[in-house]
Amino acid sequence: MTTSALRVAVDIGGTFTDTVLMTGDGTVIATAKTPTTPRNPTEGALHGVRDVLRDVGADWARITGFIHGTTLATNALIERRGARVASVTNAGFRDILEIAYERRYSQYDINIDKPDLIVPRARSFTIAGRMDAQGRELTPLDETGVDALADALRDSGAEAVAICLLHSYANPAHEQRLRDLLLARLPGLAISISSDVSPEAREFDRLCTTVANAYIQPLMAHYLADFASAFAAEGVRCPILMMTAGGGMTTIETAAALPIRLVESGPAGGAILAARIAERAGAREVLSFDMGGTTAKLCLIDEYQPQSARRFEIARAERFIKGSGMPVRIPVLEMIEIGAGGGSIAHVDRLGRIQVGPHSAGSEPGPAAFGKGGQNATVTDADIQQGLIEPASFAEGRLRIDTGAAADAIDRCFEGAGLGTDEAAAGISEIVDESMAGAGRMHAVESGKDLGARIMIAFGGNGPLHATRVARRAGVQRILIPRAPGVGSAVGFLYAPVSFEIVRSRYATLDSLDIDGLNAFFDTMIAEAESVVRAGAPEALLTTRRTAFMRYHGQGHEIEITLPDRALAAEDLAHLRHLFEAEYRAQFARSVPGMVIEILNWSVRVASSADPAGRVARTEPAGRAVPQRRSSILCEVSQTRREADIYDRATLRPGQSLQGPALIIEPQTTTYVSADFSATVDGDGTLILTAEGYTA
């Protein structure tokens, strides 16, 4: 029985809920993967934490740190299960959502589906009043019109309101006053204001972000309150921190007010883990591959930092076409996510082609093999049919696997297609693996990077099982599988800093920059961010990163330039010009002499200091590992049935090696070593999979 302080992380996914228990020195001592309970996600989380505490003989009072990530916010936006939202903009600007960018995302598609932006024109309202771009009041807020506005909101049935007034990033007074006046008349209304949610220029993106926040705010506030209450009743006394899309943690109170920051928070934990593994291994160029039960996520990591962005899209009408979804402008770790997971449903389309995803069987009913009533063939059913999942060890034996049901579902799916069960199962795997590899290639091309030179770090419940098959198609030749990969995102939560980032617009040109005003502007943002971080890390040493978003005059997009963490002085201006032009040349191969340089946005990120990752010690070869047994699998390299060695990962020792085909089994997942790959174990216990013929 352990008596030391413990930290716990809970990651609620679409299919499974992952739980990790870690000691104060960073050692993972227990993990659990339990089915997600969609009707009440807290129930599945409670089961997971009870399981890990029972495994080590600890009680709830030992938990001194609790980090939570959830897909609930993401799924509510994708599945449109949020509140009934109305918007309020300036008089004359009712149609911001209708006009959008004034362009089609696919010029020649006559059947184009316009993105669903949640608020129809009938629930778009306006009020008189106006600020200019410098934050000066041009027209006072029309407070006499608030009664009529409140009546219109009540009549529309709105449960939440998104207020987005022009230039509120420069002066939020009108938005704040309007919010207070409406709450006095409609006290039960959930109101989001753009100056809190996304205080940046570009009103369409800002309004969309505020609408999305308002849409999920009632749902998430209720969920987070229930979650905190349920764990407090069990005996948890420490604050519960929430994982954010930007790769940091924040308080549950901040998350309830700004739930849009929780979108894609689970995958962010996986990217944090991959970055740490990359640093331990000295891998400077990495592809993070996280495949779960519902989706697969891929992220590029350079110099141990995940690629980040300030904008992404939700619920795209066309999966790979930019502009076909709802834009959201928040700090986020940039990754590509596709509907390809263990629960992804396979079918044959009207042209006789195998299609997989994006629809998923989820945890209820789940794949046919789970025996919960699922009738559709899924990726997991295909893996079981190919012998790549051992039924007795799946999900630590908590789920009984029916291999016959998996085969029957595949046969039903491909009835009349002229394929045997093995052929159909292999076809499902080939389609889903190519989809994931194709997504990775496209993501790399969009970022101007090459996948071939990268090392893949694979985790998630299905990542290690599909890693070699995806890597082969993506041209990647080395793969790292960390310890406890099946709950990788939850492990990543425990390495994330408590952090908060603010991006705010303040237009200036470099030649006319008001240095004193800018320093005061930064001081205000730093104080705001520190107040959020201190609530979750009251004693931690904090770090601050300042950034400017710069461009040449007349351009539509900015380049991110890191600033020194101190007050700026007049002599810094020449250095800022040099930094911008150097980065511009790196991206576009030239600079533009004599052109005016503008700064549109400024950002501050305050974070608690992270412990250094250190490097893995060199491991001497320790001979070939001895398999526990052998089993028949369908080998995708030879396209025949053949025997594969079976290993228990817990018995593998640093320096040992093995040759594929092989299955390395552990509590929450299985690593499949294809016939054209070999594997070794490093000093951390990480599996290193290497393609045949690879030379460093």
Side-chain angles (χ1 to χ4, degrees):
M1 176 176 177
T2 182
T3 58
S4 61
L6 300 171
R7 300 173 68 220
V8 67
V10 176
D11 176 22
I12 299 180
T15 305
F16 287 102
T17 293
D18 297 340
T19 308
V20 173
L21 195 65
M22 181 182 280
T23 60
D25 65 0
T27 302
V28 174
I29 57 173
T31 63
K33 184 178 284 287
T34 53
T36 293
T37 49
R39 294 179 185 84
N40 181 11
T42 300
E43 183 181 330
L46 285 167
H47 289 163
V49 179
R50 287 174 185 143
D51 285 347
V52 295
L53 290 175
R54 183 178 60 249
D55 287 348
V56 300
D59 58 40
W60 294 86
R62 295 294 175 194
I63 297 176
T64 60
F66 196 124
I67 302 97
H68 176 35
T70 176
T71 61
L72 187 61
T74 308
N75 292 344
L77 282 163
I78 292 173
E79 297 167 9
R80 293 298 189 254
R81 292 188 290 103
R84 185 178 177 88
V85 181
S87 67
V88 180
T89 55
N90 296 87
F93 289 84
R94 180 184 183 186
D95 293 315
I96 290 175
L97 292 178
E98 298 295 320
I99 295 170
Y101 295 127
E102 296 186 278
R103 64 174 182 265
R104 297 162 60 89
Y105 61 81
S106 183
Q107 291 290 337
Y108 305 108
D109 184 356
I110 62 174
N111 297 314
I112 193 170
D113 289 323
K114 191 174 180 180
D116 177 4
L117 301 180
I118 296 174
V119 179
R121 193 171 190 272
R123 292 203 303 273
S124 297
F125 303 102
T126 64
I127 193 163
R130 188 75 177 270
M131 296 285 185
D132 69 8
Q134 285 69 46
R136 298 181 296 245
E137 186 178 73
L138 297 177
T139 306
L141 182 69
D142 180 17
E143 297 190 10
T144 62
V146 174
D147 284 335
L149 175 60
D151 290 341
L153 290 170
R154 186 185 297 108
D155 293 343
S156 74
E159 300 164 320
V161 172
I163 299 175
C164 181
L165 303 182
L166 290 179
H167 308 305
S168 62
Y169 54 83
N171 185 344
H174 281 185
E175 283 193 350
Q176 293 168 349
R177 177 61 175 163
L178 180 57
R179 175 195 59 196
D180 295 343
L181 292 171
L182 287 175
L183 284 175
R185 291 160 174 78
L186 302 169
L189 199 62
I191 299 180
S192 295
I193 60 175
S194 71
S195 52
D196 286 345
V197 177
S198 181
E200 300 182 49
R202 299 186 173 100
E203 67 272 13
F204 173 62
D205 287 13
R206 183 157 49 93
L207 176 55
C208 285
T209 307
T210 310
V211 165
N213 193 80
Y215 185 67
I216 59 175
Q217 199 273 330
L219 171 72
M220 293 306 298
H222 182 264
Y223 164 73
L224 292 173
D226 281 355
F227 189 92
S229 176
F231 279 94
E234 294 287 346
V236 172
R237 296 291 175 260
C238 64
I240 295 177
L241 300 178
M242 298 299 298
M243 192 71 190
T244 67
M249 297 181 290
T250 192
T251 63
I252 207 165
E253 293 78 16
T254 300
L258 300 173
I260 192 62
R261 298 259 184 154
L262 304 183
V263 173
E264 301 297 346
S265 61
I272 293 295
L273 171 68
R276 187 176 180 88
I277 297 298
E279 187 171 2
R280 292 279 294 162
R284 295 183 178 277
E285 294 182 315
V286 160
L287 173 67
S288 165
F289 171 52
D290 175 7
M291 183 181 179
T294 306
T295 61
K297 287 76 65 176
L298 299 101
C299 177
L300 299 175
I301 298 173
D302 294 300
E303 299 296 333
Y304 321 130
Q305 293 296 321
Q307 191 164 289
S308 62
R310 295 295 179 272
R311 180 186 180 279
F312 67 102
E313 293 179 10
I314 294 170
R316 283 181 173 177
E318 298 291 340
R319 188 168 60 184
F320 294 134
I321 300 181
K322 288 185 176 181
S324 66
M326 182 176 189
V328 171
R329 192 171 282 272
I330 58 169
V332 62
L333 297 186
E334 187 173 22
M335 58 187 74
I336 189 165
E337 181 172 9
I338 64 171
S344 294
I345 295 171
H347 67 280
V348 178
D349 68 14
R350 60 188 179 87
L351 298 179
R353 301 173 301 184
I354 299 174
Q355 302 290 336
V356 181
H359 299 295
S360 173
S363 60
E364 294 180 3
F370 285 10
K372 294 183 177 181
Q375 298 297 309
N376 295 307
T378 67
V379 172
T380 292
D381 293 315
D383 287 332
I384 291 169
Q385 175 62 28
Q386 294 171 89
L388 303 179
I389 292 176
E390 277 206 331
S393 59
F394 184 80
E396 301 170 274
R398 291 189 174 100
L399 280 175
R400 185 176 178 180
I401 297 301
D402 185 343
T403 56
D408 290 344
I410 293 170
D411 289 340
R412 280 195 304 273
C413 176
F414 291 90
E415 187 176 0
L419 295 175
T421 311
D422 276 359
E423 289 177 292
I428 292 172
S429 291
E430 287 184 16
I431 293 298
V432 76
D433 292 335
E434 179 55 39
S435 293
M436 292 184 287
R441 289 192 299 267
M442 187 191 70
H443 186 45
V445 168
E446 287 180 344
S447 303
K449 296 174 181 176
D450 175 32
L451 284 187
R454 292 180 178 268
I455 294 175
M456 176 186 286
I457 298 179
F459 51 94
N462 289 284
L465 189 60
H466 285 260
T468 55
R469 293 177 279 177
V470 173
R472 184 187 304 115
R473 288 170 168 81
V476 174
Q477 295 189 293
R478 295 188 74 204
I479 305 165
L480 304 183
I481 312 290
R483 291 173 296 175
V487 292
S489 288
V491 175
F493 292 175
L494 294 163
Y495 292 124
V498 180
S499 67
F500 195 72
E501 184 168 359
I502 298 172
V503 182
R504 189 163 288 162
S505 293
R506 178 189 170 97
Y507 176 81
T509 64
L510 193 59
D511 294 334
S512 61
L513 192 60
D514 175 7
I515 297 292
D516 292 337
L518 178 61
N519 287 331
F521 181 71
F522 267 123
D523 288 343
T524 300
M525 286 201 294
I526 290 170
E528 288 180 29
E530 278 190 0
S531 68
V532 174
V533 174
R534 281 296 179 207
E539 305 297 331
L541 178 67
L542 302 184
T543 62
T544 302
R545 187 185 69 205
R546 308 180 188 211
T547 307
F549 295 84
M550 306 171 70
R551 66 189 185 189
Y552 284 123
H553 176 69
Q555 292 184 328
H557 298 279
E558 298 79 46
I559 291 176
E560 189 172 329
I561 303 297
T562 301
L563 303 177
D565 181 23
R566 56 172 172 77
L568 294 176
E571 51 267 28
D572 290 316
L573 298 184
H575 184 56
L576 287 183
R577 179 182 295 275
H578 169 75
L579 291 175
F580 169 75
E581 292 185 338
E583 182 61 26
Y584 196 92
R585 282 193 298 272
Q587 293 191 28
F588 303 107
R590 58 159 295 180
S591 59
V592 186
M595 182 69 77
V596 172
I597 296 174
E598 302 174 326
I599 307 99
L600 181 63
N601 294 331
W602 310 83
S603 81
V604 162
R605 182 179 188 267
V606 176
S608 58
S609 297
D611 295 331
R615 289 291 173 86
V616 181
R618 182 179 176 83
T619 305
E620 295 299 323
R624 295 295 291 267
V626 178
Q628 274 74 38
R629 56 193 177 278
R630 307 195 82 200
S631 180
S632 173
I633 68 164
L634 181 61
C635 174
E636 84 283 6
V637 176
S638 64
Q639 298 186 341
T640 59
R641 283 270 172 185
R642 62 182 293 185
E643 293 293 300
D645 294 330
I646 310 295
Y647 299 86
D648 180 349
R649 185 166 181 177
T651 67
L652 297 178
R653 297 291 174 259
Q656 288 187 318
S657 62
L658 58 95
Q659 178 64 47
L663 298 175
I664 303 173
I665 295 171
E666 56 188 299
Q668 284 94 28
T669 190
T670 295
T671 297
Y672 173 45
V673 184
S674 294
D676 54 345
F677 277 77
S678 60
T680 58
V681 185
D682 77 2
D684 260 357
T686 297
L687 300 175
I688 304 174
L689 279 54
T690 306
E692 194 174 76
Y694 170 78
T695 55

